[in-house]
Amino acid sequence: MPKTAKNLWPRVVEWENLMDAAKAASQGRRCYRAVLEFNFRLWENLTRLRELLVQGLWRPGPYRELWVREPKLRLVHAPEFTDRVVHHALVQVAGPFFEKRFMDCSFACRRGTGTHAASEHMSRMLRQARDRWDSVYVLKADIAKYFFSIDHSILMDILARTIGDRRMLEAFRLLVESGPAPLGSAGLPLGALTSQLFANAYLDVLDHYVKDRLGVKLYVRYMDDFIILDGCKAALWELLAEIRDFLAVRLKLSLNRKTKVFPASQGVDFAGYRHWASHTLPRKRNVRRAAKRFKGLSRAYARGDVPLDRVRSCMASFVGYMVHCKGWRSAGSALSGLVLIGRGKDRER
């Protein structure tokens, strides 16, 4: 087990680290007013922020509430831009030490991983299970209201097992306890970079329990969704009972009612795709959502409300999703409206 990391705060407040944090926090948001104002006086703002951090006077500001509709309607709490810089500065220093503890079965919000890597891992697991057992069964589970259920006291104990720097732990505590009401003594705000790191660290405890204590070989987790494969349905139900008790007692979490055990022949919906041992297909709702979005773009483009670059960007995103699976017939149907857009633009030229 790696030792706790100490003497990290001087690295957090280094000028180069804060500059990199400001650059990372600005990525994809450079045209936002708050970002423009901060970067217009970058040196002055970073100097002031660094002084607050060094003197221990920095406190997180209020969060901005946003409703996000994809993949489902969720309330996101976004920190103000200056705090976003602090989030990045902390994660840039602390993140690598958590990575040393994280297991290879975890794929969300980690550098070098993501939905595509999780999907590929899921497919490999299904092939291994098919070669090992005549019949393969799936335990598919996810945590109920995960981010809003994370216990602050338990989380701080978990973070202290990796980070031994007092001032960094104090900054973590400020962020954990600064969440908007009614989070109280539990819950992390969606939309904060540190929340992603903390949420991964929280369920890393589950990963080690499942892999090390229960001895499960075919296990994968993407944030609060996890899958276990086995050749015996009864064995999976027993594992489910043990995991449910562990989550309730150790982490004060509960499983979603959608948690179930079923044959792998039905396909496994995970990380944005539907998986079988022989092939992978797109989620039907993702294709339907893309088709609806493209129709809307077609009408908006015809009115002159959106530029061609935005249409191309949306199309490239969908194609990037589809190249990792089969199902080009449904993709062609979703993209059919955009073909006419391109031809219309060619005629204008």
Side-chain angles (χ1 to χ4, degrees), residues 62-75:
Y63 289 82
R64 185 165 54 98
E65 291 189 353
L66 302 169
W67 285 99
V68 178
R69 295 187 176 276
E70 290 188 9
K72 60 183 178 181
L73 187 63
R74 297 180 299 173
L75 179 60

Side-chain angles (χ1 to χ4, degrees), residues 7 75 185 234 313:
N7 302 318
L75 179 60
S185 63
S313 177

